[in-house]
Amino acid sequence: MISKPEILIVGGGVAGLSLATRLGKSMGKHGKARITLIDKSFSHVWKPMLHCFASGTMQNENDRINFISQASGHNFEFWPGEVVSIDRVRQEVVLSPLCAADGTVVLESRTIKYDTIVIAIGSCANDFGTPGVRENCLSIDNLVEANAFNEKFRMELLRAFANNSELDIAIVGGGATGTQLAAELHKALEIVGPFNLHAFGKPPPKLRVTLLQSGPRILPAFPESVSAAAQTELERIGVTVRTSARVAGANATGFTLKDGTRVSAKLRVWAAGVKAPEVTTTYGGLALNNTGQILVKANLSAIGDEHIFALGDCSYIDGDPMPATAQVAQQQARHLARYLPAWIEKGQKIPPCVFHNKGAIVALGKYNGWAALPGGTVWGGGFSHGLSARIAHLLLYRQHQMELYGFYRGLMSCFSDWVDTFIRPSIRLD
Ligand SMILES: Cc1cc2nc3c(=O)[nH]c(=O)nc-3n(C[C@H](O)[C@H](O)[C@H](O)COP(=O)(O)OP(=O)(O)OC[C@H]3O[C@@H](n4cnc5c(N)ncnc54)[C@H](O)[C@@H]3O)c2cc1C
């Protein structure tokens, strides 16, 4: 009996879960391949919304897609675990032991064979080795970190309520993550304000958010007009924006800038730079760039190993890099989902993946939003236009949900979220 080709997908994020779901439909369902998704967590979240989880304006339960349930309904298998190394000669991966919260081992280290492996393990913020950042700053690169930030944010907010003091937060990185987080934190405080915290008998505390950007303007990936409008909007709601502010170090009370000035902050967030998770250095000696991203050809196969593919934030197309965005991750997943079956079944070549830039959207919480369309057109800003850009930002998420759930279940999920707004508080309070 001829065994089925084994396809492993490592990482169930924007790219990996979309690919597993699509391949499950085209190959898994018809018994043409065994598709296995591996992820170090048990559920998927739409990463561009992590700043909402961090500020508590989005509740985790409704917005997570469980891998086990997704796999069983879409003809692929799911293995929980972190891929810590790849043996390219034996064509197998090693998963670290899976431990319970108390440290006991639930699943021993495991080895899984593959014929084809697709690596989609995403990225994390890059502190560029800045002293003190690792020990003193939080980041929001995944749901665990976003939840940890939220826990601290809620506790500090409560402390500020009780003491009638200010809460100061500094965010390093004026890209989409930092900028959107700054606005979302203000939205969170506005929602909390009207709740009856009688026990304290005091008005809501003042939130002081400082956004530090090393370059001359925030949102450098957007046209200058959007950067300027977003800065004005942030300043209007009370965020202090400091551009050309390069951080030299961090400690438990704040940041020191290169020019020697101090920015004090109770909570410190590092949301600058992008690099691949450090684990890529243990992936069988694959060629990497200087931020650890796996070097791939234009057809997304790893340089030097045609059985390995990499896509999304953890990959870097040699000579023609694409930005680390959800849009790129989605398009690359669709490309592989389209061409991988014929490559596996008939050896047909996979063509280069061509990126079709559909523009970028940034949403400053409930306050404003902009979309930069290809060709330089900017749309958004102001009340009604800002609203349409914010709705477009939300629609991207809904579109992703429908892609994974299917149209009707996706629609029901939207409906259920809407119903939820009448039942739950619109902010996470516990
Ligand atoms: C707060 C925030 C806001 C953003 N806003 C936007 C935006 O507005 N627009 C936009 O286009 N992009 C935005 N981005 C970027 C976007 O989210 C990423 O480009 C996109 O998620 C990349 O998709 P991916 O599939 O490569 O990785 P991810 O979606 O990050 O998925 C990686 C997956 O791999 C898993 N994993 C990691 N390491 C291992 C391992 N060793 N073994 C097993 N599994 C592993 C993780 O658990 C995760 O499920 C934002 C990012 C953040 C953090």
Side-chain angles (χ1 to χ4, degrees), residues 200-237:
F200 304 116
K202 292 169 186 147
K206 193 164 164 24
L207 188 63
R208 273 203 305 127
V209 178
T210 307
L211 184 62
L212 299 169
Q213 164 71 340
S214 60
R217 63 185 176 99
I218 60 167
L219 298 173
F222 285 76
E224 276 186 39
S225 57
V226 172
S227 302
Q231 178 163 346
T232 306
E233 187 69 47
L234 285 176
E235 286 168 348
R236 187 188 66 76
I237 60 172

mmCIF file of all heavy atoms in Angstrom, residues 200-237:
data_model
loop_
_atom_site.group_PDB
_atom_site.id
_atom_site.type_symbol
_atom_site.label_atom_id
_atom_site.label_comp_id
_atom_site.label_asym_id
_atom_site.label_seq_id
_atom_site.Cartn_x
_atom_site.Cartn_y
_atom_site.Cartn_z
ATOM 1 N N PHE A 200 -14.474 53.316 45.692
ATOM 2 C CA PHE A 200 -13.380 54.283 45.693
ATOM 3 C C PHE A 200 -13.896 55.716 45.883
ATOM 4 O O PHE A 200 -13.191 56.562 46.405
ATOM 5 C CB PHE A 200 -12.588 54.203 44.398
ATOM 6 C CG PHE A 200 -12.061 52.820 44.137
ATOM 7 C CD1 PHE A 200 -12.482 52.092 43.043
ATOM 8 C CD2 PHE A 200 -11.163 52.246 45.004
ATOM 9 C CE1 PHE A 200 -12.008 50.821 42.823
ATOM 10 C CE2 PHE A 200 -10.677 50.966 44.782
ATOM 11 C CZ PHE A 200 -11.104 50.251 43.689
ATOM 12 N N GLY A 201 -15.126 55.936 45.410
ATOM 13 C CA GLY A 201 -15.734 57.248 45.560
ATOM 14 C C GLY A 201 -14.928 58.369 44.921
ATOM 15 O O GLY A 201 -14.939 59.510 45.378
ATOM 16 N N LYS A 202 -14.198 58.028 43.895
ATOM 17 C CA LYS A 202 -13.344 59.039 43.253
ATOM 18 C C LYS A 202 -13.550 59.009 41.738
ATOM 19 O O LYS A 202 -13.986 58.002 41.188
ATOM 20 C CB LYS A 202 -11.878 58.730 43.566
ATOM 21 C CG LYS A 202 -11.562 58.939 45.038
ATOM 22 C CD LYS A 202 -10.203 58.393 45.392
ATOM 23 C CE LYS A 202 -10.013 58.486 46.892
ATOM 24 N NZ LYS A 202 -9.204 57.396 47.413
ATOM 25 N N PRO A 203 -13.202 60.081 41.053
ATOM 26 C CA PRO A 203 -13.354 60.078 39.597
ATOM 27 C C PRO A 203 -12.337 59.124 38.955
ATOM 28 O O PRO A 203 -11.357 58.761 39.606
ATOM 29 C CB PRO A 203 -13.053 61.534 39.212
ATOM 30 C CG PRO A 203 -12.238 62.070 40.330
ATOM 31 C CD PRO A 203 -12.645 61.333 41.555
ATOM 32 N N PRO A 204 -12.563 58.745 37.696
ATOM 33 C CA PRO A 204 -11.606 57.856 37.032
ATOM 34 C C PRO A 204 -10.213 58.481 37.010
ATOM 35 O O PRO A 204 -10.078 59.708 36.949
ATOM 36 C CB PRO A 204 -12.151 57.733 35.610
ATOM 37 C CG PRO A 204 -13.512 58.270 35.640
ATOM 38 C CD PRO A 204 -13.650 59.154 36.826
ATOM 39 N N PRO A 205 -9.186 57.664 37.082
ATOM 40 C CA PRO A 205 -7.834 58.219 37.088
ATOM 41 C C PRO A 205 -7.471 58.774 35.714
ATOM 42 O O PRO A 205 -8.125 58.486 34.720
ATOM 43 C CB PRO A 205 -6.963 57.011 37.407
ATOM 44 C CG PRO A 205 -7.740 55.838 36.934
ATOM 45 C CD PRO A 205 -9.180 56.190 37.091
ATOM 46 N N LYS A 206 -6.409 59.546 35.682
ATOM 47 C CA LYS A 206 -5.947 60.078 34.398
ATOM 48 C C LYS A 206 -4.933 59.095 33.820
ATOM 49 O O LYS A 206 -4.043 58.615 34.535
ATOM 50 C CB LYS A 206 -5.302 61.441 34.628
ATOM 51 C CG LYS A 206 -5.067 62.199 33.346
ATOM 52 C CD LYS A 206 -4.813 63.673 33.641
ATOM 53 C CE LYS A 206 -4.197 64.441 32.498
ATOM 54 N NZ LYS A 206 -4.376 63.974 31.177
ATOM 55 N N LEU A 207 -5.110 58.798 32.543
ATOM 56 C CA LEU A 207 -4.187 57.890 31.870
ATOM 57 C C LEU A 207 -3.188 58.732 31.080
ATOM 58 O O LEU A 207 -3.594 59.593 30.301
ATOM 59 C CB LEU A 207 -4.995 56.992 30.927
ATOM 60 C CG LEU A 207 -4.295 55.840 30.239
ATOM 61 C CD1 LEU A 207 -3.792 54.833 31.266
ATOM 62 C CD2 LEU A 207 -5.269 55.146 29.285
ATOM 63 N N ARG A 208 -1.901 58.510 31.324
ATOM 64 C CA ARG A 208 -0.888 59.246 30.545
ATOM 65 C C ARG A 208 -0.170 58.255 29.669
ATOM 66 O O ARG A 208 0.597 57.417 30.150
ATOM 67 C CB ARG A 208 0.119 59.913 31.490
ATOM 68 C CG ARG A 208 -0.337 61.286 31.962
ATOM 69 C CD ARG A 208 0.823 62.172 32.404
ATOM 70 N NE ARG A 208 1.632 61.554 33.426
ATOM 71 C CZ ARG A 208 2.930 61.420 33.343
ATOM 72 N NH1 ARG A 208 3.588 61.837 32.289
ATOM 73 N NH2 ARG A 208 3.610 60.854 34.329
ATOM 74 N N VAL A 209 -0.450 58.296 28.370
ATOM 75 C CA VAL A 209 0.209 57.366 27.442
ATOM 76 C C VAL A 209 1.222 58.148 26.618
ATOM 77 O O VAL A 209 0.897 59.197 26.055
ATOM 78 C CB VAL A 209 -0.818 56.677 26.512
ATOM 79 C CG1 VAL A 209 -0.106 55.756 25.531
ATOM 80 C CG2 VAL A 209 -1.835 55.884 27.316
ATOM 81 N N THR A 210 2.450 57.631 26.581
ATOM 82 C CA THR A 210 3.476 58.261 25.747
ATOM 83 C C THR A 210 3.885 57.271 24.669
ATOM 84 O O THR A 210 4.185 56.110 24.968
ATOM 85 C CB THR A 210 4.720 58.622 26.588
ATOM 86 O OG1 THR A 210 4.295 59.402 27.699
ATOM 87 C CG2 THR A 210 5.740 59.405 25.772
ATOM 88 N N LEU A 211 3.850 57.730 23.428
ATOM 89 C CA LEU A 211 4.246 56.877 22.304
ATOM 90 C C LEU A 211 5.616 57.338 21.823
ATOM 91 O O LEU A 211 5.786 58.500 21.442
ATOM 92 C CB LEU A 211 3.195 56.999 21.187
ATOM 93 C CG LEU A 211 3.365 56.115 19.964
ATOM 94 C CD1 LEU A 211 3.288 54.633 20.326
ATOM 95 C CD2 LEU A 211 2.294 56.443 18.926
ATOM 96 N N LEU A 212 6.599 56.426 21.874
ATOM 97 C CA LEU A 212 7.963 56.795 21.497
ATOM 98 C C LEU A 212 8.305 56.182 20.143
ATOM 99 O O LEU A 212 8.218 54.965 19.959
ATOM 100 C CB LEU A 212 8.952 56.275 22.554
ATOM 101 C CG LEU A 212 8.750 56.821 23.966
ATOM 102 C CD1 LEU A 212 9.597 56.032 24.960
ATOM 103 C CD2 LEU A 212 9.113 58.295 24.012
ATOM 104 N N GLN A 213 8.681 57.016 19.209
ATOM 105 C CA GLN A 213 9.012 56.525 17.862
ATOM 106 C C GLN A 213 10.413 57.015 17.507
ATOM 107 O O GLN A 213 10.697 58.212 17.592
ATOM 108 C CB GLN A 213 7.949 57.053 16.870
ATOM 109 C CG GLN A 213 8.321 56.971 15.415
ATOM 110 C CD GLN A 213 8.342 55.526 14.881
ATOM 111 O OE1 GLN A 213 8.443 54.554 15.635
ATOM 112 N NE2 GLN A 213 8.287 55.382 13.583
ATOM 113 N N SER A 214 11.279 56.088 17.104
ATOM 114 C CA SER A 214 12.667 56.482 16.822
ATOM 115 C C SER A 214 12.770 57.310 15.536
ATOM 116 O O SER A 214 13.615 58.197 15.423
ATOM 117 C CB SER A 214 13.561 55.241 16.723
ATOM 118 O OG SER A 214 13.085 54.420 15.691
ATOM 119 N N GLY A 215 11.912 57.037 14.573
ATOM 120 C CA GLY A 215 11.948 57.770 13.307
ATOM 121 C C GLY A 215 11.258 59.120 13.405
ATOM 122 O O GLY A 215 10.680 59.451 14.444
ATOM 123 N N PRO A 216 11.290 59.886 12.298
ATOM 124 C CA PRO A 216 10.716 61.241 12.344
ATOM 125 C C PRO A 216 9.193 61.294 12.365
ATOM 126 O O PRO A 216 8.616 62.337 12.634
ATOM 127 C CB PRO A 216 11.259 61.889 11.056
ATOM 128 C CG PRO A 216 11.603 60.745 10.160
ATOM 129 C CD PRO A 216 11.955 59.588 11.028
ATOM 130 N N ARG A 217 8.516 60.169 12.057
ATOM 131 C CA ARG A 217 7.040 60.206 12.097
ATOM 132 C C ARG A 217 6.488 58.836 12.463
ATOM 133 O O ARG A 217 7.157 57.811 12.238
ATOM 134 C CB ARG A 217 6.457 60.670 10.758
ATOM 135 C CG ARG A 217 6.757 59.754 9.583
ATOM 136 C CD ARG A 217 6.239 60.369 8.295
ATOM 137 N NE ARG A 217 6.576 59.601 7.114
ATOM 138 C CZ ARG A 217 5.743 58.764 6.510
ATOM 139 N NH1 ARG A 217 4.525 58.568 6.980
ATOM 140 N NH2 ARG A 217 6.111 58.121 5.417
ATOM 141 N N ILE A 218 5.284 58.838 13.065
ATOM 142 C CA ILE A 218 4.635 57.564 13.373
ATOM 143 C C ILE A 218 4.052 56.997 12.078
ATOM 144 O O ILE A 218 3.983 57.690 11.063
ATOM 145 C CB ILE A 218 3.541 57.698 14.471
ATOM 146 C CG1 ILE A 218 2.440 58.662 14.037
ATOM 147 C CG2 ILE A 218 4.161 58.122 15.799
ATOM 148 C CD1 ILE A 218 1.193 58.611 14.916
ATOM 149 N N LEU A 219 3.649 55.747 12.109
ATOM 150 C CA LEU A 219 3.088 55.036 10.952
ATOM 151 C C LEU A 219 3.925 55.250 9.686
ATOM 152 O O LEU A 219 3.416 55.725 8.653
ATOM 153 C CB LEU A 219 1.628 55.464 10.713
ATOM 154 C CG LEU A 219 0.661 55.161 11.858
ATOM 155 C CD1 LEU A 219 -0.715 55.780 11.598
ATOM 156 C CD2 LEU A 219 0.517 53.662 12.091
ATOM 157 N N PRO A 220 5.219 54.912 9.735
ATOM 158 C CA PRO A 220 6.081 55.179 8.580
ATOM 159 C C PRO A 220 5.687 54.413 7.319
ATOM 160 O O PRO A 220 6.064 54.812 6.218
ATOM 161 C CB PRO A 220 7.472 54.734 9.069
ATOM 162 C CG PRO A 220 7.237 53.855 10.237
ATOM 163 C CD PRO A 220 5.946 54.283 10.851
ATOM 164 N N ALA A 221 4.891 53.332 7.476
ATOM 165 C CA ALA A 221 4.492 52.579 6.283
ATOM 166 C C ALA A 221 3.329 53.250 5.553
ATOM 167 O O ALA A 221 2.945 52.823 4.471
ATOM 168 C CB ALA A 221 4.103 51.151 6.688
ATOM 169 N N PHE A 222 2.775 54.288 6.147
ATOM 170 C CA PHE A 222 1.633 54.995 5.547
ATOM 171 C C PHE A 222 2.112 56.319 4.945
ATOM 172 O O PHE A 222 3.179 56.826 5.306
ATOM 173 C CB PHE A 222 0.570 55.282 6.611
ATOM 174 C CG PHE A 222 -0.229 54.073 6.998
ATOM 175 C CD1 PHE A 222 0.306 53.102 7.834
ATOM 176 C CD2 PHE A 222 -1.519 53.898 6.517
ATOM 177 C CE1 PHE A 222 -0.433 51.978 8.186
ATOM 178 C CE2 PHE A 222 -2.269 52.782 6.870
ATOM 179 C CZ PHE A 222 -1.723 51.823 7.708
ATOM 180 N N PRO A 223 1.308 56.930 4.064
ATOM 181 C CA PRO A 223 1.687 58.252 3.530
ATOM 182 C C PRO A 223 1.815 59.275 4.663
ATOM 183 O O PRO A 223 1.172 59.122 5.714
ATOM 184 C CB PRO A 223 0.515 58.617 2.611
ATOM 185 C CG PRO A 223 -0.172 57.336 2.317
ATOM 186 C CD PRO A 223 0.066 56.420 3.475
ATOM 187 N N GLU A 224 2.609 60.315 4.415
ATOM 188 C CA GLU A 224 2.869 61.325 5.462
ATOM 189 C C GLU A 224 1.582 61.958 5.972
ATOM 190 O O GLU A 224 1.464 62.296 7.153
ATOM 191 C CB GLU A 224 3.796 62.414 4.920
ATOM 192 C CG GLU A 224 5.252 61.996 5.026
ATOM 193 C CD GLU A 224 6.214 63.093 4.631
ATOM 194 O OE1 GLU A 224 5.949 64.254 4.967
ATOM 195 O OE2 GLU A 224 7.222 62.761 3.985
ATOM 196 N N SER A 225 0.598 62.142 5.066
ATOM 197 C CA SER A 225 -0.648 62.794 5.499
ATOM 198 C C SER A 225 -1.346 61.960 6.578
ATOM 199 O O SER A 225 -1.918 62.508 7.525
ATOM 200 C CB SER A 225 -1.589 62.994 4.301
ATOM 201 O OG SER A 225 -1.840 61.752 3.690
ATOM 202 N N VAL A 226 -1.285 60.616 6.465
ATOM 203 C CA VAL A 226 -1.919 59.761 7.473
ATOM 204 C C VAL A 226 -1.149 59.857 8.784
ATOM 205 O O VAL A 226 -1.743 59.964 9.869
ATOM 206 C CB VAL A 226 -1.995 58.294 6.982
ATOM 207 C CG1 VAL A 226 -2.483 57.371 8.098
ATOM 208 C CG2 VAL A 226 -2.897 58.175 5.772
ATOM 209 N N SER A 227 0.207 59.844 8.692
ATOM 210 C CA SER A 227 1.027 59.959 9.913
ATOM 211 C C SER A 227 0.668 61.231 10.673
ATOM 212 O O SER A 227 0.469 61.211 11.890
ATOM 213 C CB SER A 227 2.517 60.026 9.569
ATOM 214 O OG SER A 227 2.894 58.905 8.860
ATOM 215 N N ALA A 228 0.591 62.340 9.918
ATOM 216 C CA ALA A 228 0.323 63.626 10.565
ATOM 217 C C ALA A 228 -1.080 63.648 11.171
ATOM 218 O O ALA A 228 -1.276 64.080 12.318
ATOM 219 C CB ALA A 228 0.467 64.758 9.545
ATOM 220 N N ALA A 229 -2.062 63.131 10.425
ATOM 221 C CA ALA A 229 -3.444 63.137 10.931
ATOM 222 C C ALA A 229 -3.569 62.219 12.147
ATOM 223 O O ALA A 229 -4.259 62.560 13.114
ATOM 224 C CB ALA A 229 -4.397 62.694 9.824
ATOM 225 N N ALA A 230 -2.912 61.080 12.110
ATOM 226 C CA ALA A 230 -2.995 60.138 13.241
ATOM 227 C C ALA A 230 -2.345 60.746 14.479
ATOM 228 O O ALA A 230 -2.868 60.621 15.591
ATOM 229 C CB ALA A 230 -2.320 58.819 12.883
ATOM 230 N N GLN A 231 -1.222 61.449 14.275
ATOM 231 C CA GLN A 231 -0.559 62.084 15.432
ATOM 232 C C GLN A 231 -1.481 63.147 16.036
ATOM 233 O O GLN A 231 -1.631 63.237 17.259
ATOM 234 C CB GLN A 231 0.786 62.693 15.012
ATOM 235 C CG GLN A 231 1.470 63.395 16.164
ATOM 236 C CD GLN A 231 2.950 63.652 15.941
ATOM 237 O OE1 GLN A 231 3.559 63.089 15.039
ATOM 238 N NE2 GLN A 231 3.546 64.505 16.762
ATOM 239 N N THR A 232 -2.110 63.946 15.174
ATOM 240 C CA THR A 232 -3.030 64.978 15.664
ATOM 241 C C THR A 232 -4.174 64.348 16.460
ATOM 242 O O THR A 232 -4.554 64.824 17.530
ATOM 243 C CB THR A 232 -3.604 65.784 14.469
ATOM 244 O OG1 THR A 232 -2.501 66.274 13.718
ATOM 245 C CG2 THR A 232 -4.480 66.923 14.906
ATOM 246 N N GLU A 233 -4.708 63.253 15.920
ATOM 247 C CA GLU A 233 -5.828 62.578 16.596
ATOM 248 C C GLU A 233 -5.393 62.024 17.956
ATOM 249 O O GLU A 233 -6.101 62.168 18.963
ATOM 250 C CB GLU A 233 -6.343 61.434 15.699
ATOM 251 C CG GLU A 233 -7.601 60.778 16.195
ATOM 252 C CD GLU A 233 -8.814 61.700 16.106
ATOM 253 O OE1 GLU A 233 -9.007 62.327 15.069
ATOM 254 O OE2 GLU A 233 -9.561 61.779 17.117
ATOM 255 N N LEU A 234 -4.214 61.403 17.984
ATOM 256 C CA LEU A 234 -3.717 60.852 19.259
ATOM 257 C C LEU A 234 -3.525 61.975 20.277
ATOM 258 O O LEU A 234 -3.900 61.833 21.449
ATOM 259 C CB LEU A 234 -2.389 60.112 19.050
ATOM 260 C CG LEU A 234 -2.468 58.735 18.372
ATOM 261 C CD1 LEU A 234 -1.071 58.163 18.138
ATOM 262 C CD2 LEU A 234 -3.295 57.748 19.186
ATOM 263 N N GLU A 235 -2.949 63.074 19.819
ATOM 264 C CA GLU A 235 -2.709 64.190 20.751
ATOM 265 C C GLU A 235 -4.039 64.781 21.242
ATOM 266 O O GLU A 235 -4.154 65.187 22.387
ATOM 267 C CB GLU A 235 -1.812 65.239 20.091
ATOM 268 C CG GLU A 235 -0.370 64.708 20.021
ATOM 269 C CD GLU A 235 0.568 65.536 19.138
ATOM 270 O OE1 GLU A 235 0.093 66.413 18.376
ATOM 271 O OE2 GLU A 235 1.776 65.274 19.201
ATOM 272 N N ARG A 236 -5.026 64.753 20.363
ATOM 273 C CA ARG A 236 -6.347 65.279 20.761
ATOM 274 C C ARG A 236 -6.932 64.458 21.913
ATOM 275 O O ARG A 236 -7.537 65.008 22.827
ATOM 276 C CB ARG A 236 -7.294 65.244 19.549
ATOM 277 C CG ARG A 236 -8.625 65.909 19.793
ATOM 278 C CD ARG A 236 -9.605 65.689 18.641
ATOM 279 N NE ARG A 236 -10.016 64.311 18.482
ATOM 280 C CZ ARG A 236 -10.892 63.683 19.268
ATOM 281 N NH1 ARG A 236 -11.472 64.340 20.241
ATOM 282 N NH2 ARG A 236 -11.212 62.425 19.055
ATOM 283 N N ILE A 237 -6.722 63.130 21.869
ATOM 284 C CA ILE A 237 -7.304 62.329 22.968
ATOM 285 C C ILE A 237 -6.361 62.255 24.172
ATOM 286 O O ILE A 237 -6.657 61.595 25.156
ATOM 287 C CB ILE A 237 -7.707 60.901 22.498
ATOM 288 C CG1 ILE A 237 -6.486 60.110 21.968
ATOM 289 C CG2 ILE A 237 -8.815 60.952 21.488
ATOM 290 C CD1 ILE A 237 -6.789 58.654 21.676
#
